[in-house]
Amino acid sequence: MALETVAHLDEIPLGTRKVVKAGGHKLLLLHLETGFYATQAYCPHLLAPLKSGKLLNGHVLQCPFHRAQFDVTSGDVIRWANFPPGIQALNVLRGERCLATYPVVIEGDQIRVDIR
Ligand code: FES
């Protein structure tokens, strides 16, 4: 385990998200009803910044560019890039890729991420 402090609890109230740095990478830290989650900050399709993505069903993040959807609790792809119509042709070259996720540990008032 390689835990790194990325933020303090009061920086990320429930329902908010923030881009943080850990291990030389930018991560997206989300505070959901079920806890804190850390994912890669950029979409694995074509690197859109996921911070501005839409949250669906409490834990699914939709990419702002081509609307791929990821479960931020597992990194699983719920739906791959599908907007605008015709983007599927590009998907032959940029096939489905899971979102990288990182375990989050709360220690005192510190939010720590296992960057492995
Ligand atoms: S960049 Fe995210 S779906 Fe294309």
Side-chain angles (χ1 to χ4, degrees), residues 43 45-48 50 63 65-68 81:
C43 181
H45 180 232
L46 289 175
L47 305 177
L50 292 173
C63 175
F65 281 13
H66 312 111
R67 301 183 185 173

Side-chain angles (χ1 to χ4, degrees), residues 81-104:
N82 61 87
F83 181 85
I87 193 78
Q88 289 82 358
L90 179 62
N91 291 347
V92 174
L93 301 173
R94 297 293 291 180
E96 273 191 33
R97 295 168 196 204
C98 291
L99 192 65
T101 60
Y102 304 86
V104 178

Side-chain angles (χ1 to χ4, degrees), residues 10 30 33 42 55 65-66 68 74 81 83 96-97 99 105:
D10 59 2
L30 304 102
E33 291 281 351
Y42 299 102
L55 192 67
F65 281 13
H66 312 111
S74 63
F83 181 85
E96 273 191 33
R97 295 168 196 204
L99 192 65
V105 175

Side-chain angles (χ1 to χ4, degrees), residues 8 14-15 21 29 43 53 61 64 67 69-70 74 78 80 90 108:
H8 291 91
L14 180 62
K21 275 192 176 174
L29 189 62
C43 181
L61 193 58
R67 301 183 185 173
Q69 296 176 356
F70 306 94
S74 63
I78 303 299
W80 194 234
L90 179 62

Side-chain angles (χ1 to χ4, degrees), residues 1-111:
M1 229 191 223
L3 288 173
E4 196 169 309
T5 298
V6 294
H8 291 91
L9 287 175
D10 59 2
E11 293 176 57
I12 307 177
L14 180 62
T16 65
R17 57 186 88 154
K18 180 178 184 177
V19 174
V20 297
K21 275 192 176 174
H25 302 284
K26 283 188 176 177
L27 308 182
L28 180 62
L29 189 62
L30 304 102
H31 188 180
L32 308 182
E33 291 281 351
T34 51
F36 288 90
Y37 298 90
T39 72
Q40 64 186 86
Y42 299 102
C43 181
H45 180 232
L46 289 175
L47 305 177
L50 292 173
K51 183 176 189 289
S52 57
K54 190 176 191 179
L55 192 67
L56 309 167
N57 300 326
H59 62 100
V60 174
L61 193 58
Q62 178 173 279
C63 175
F65 281 13
H66 312 111
R67 301 183 185 173
Q69 296 176 356
F70 306 94
D71 183 335
V72 297
T73 68
S74 63
D76 291 343
V77 176
I78 303 299
R79 193 173 73 179
W80 194 234
N82 61 87
F83 181 85
I87 193 78
Q88 289 82 358
L90 179 62
N91 291 347
V92 174
L93 301 173
R94 297 293 291 180
E96 273 191 33
R97 295 168 196 204
C98 291
L99 192 65
T101 60
Y102 304 86
V104 178
V105 175
I106 305 300
E107 287 182 1
D109 71 338
Q110 296 186 5
I111 303 169

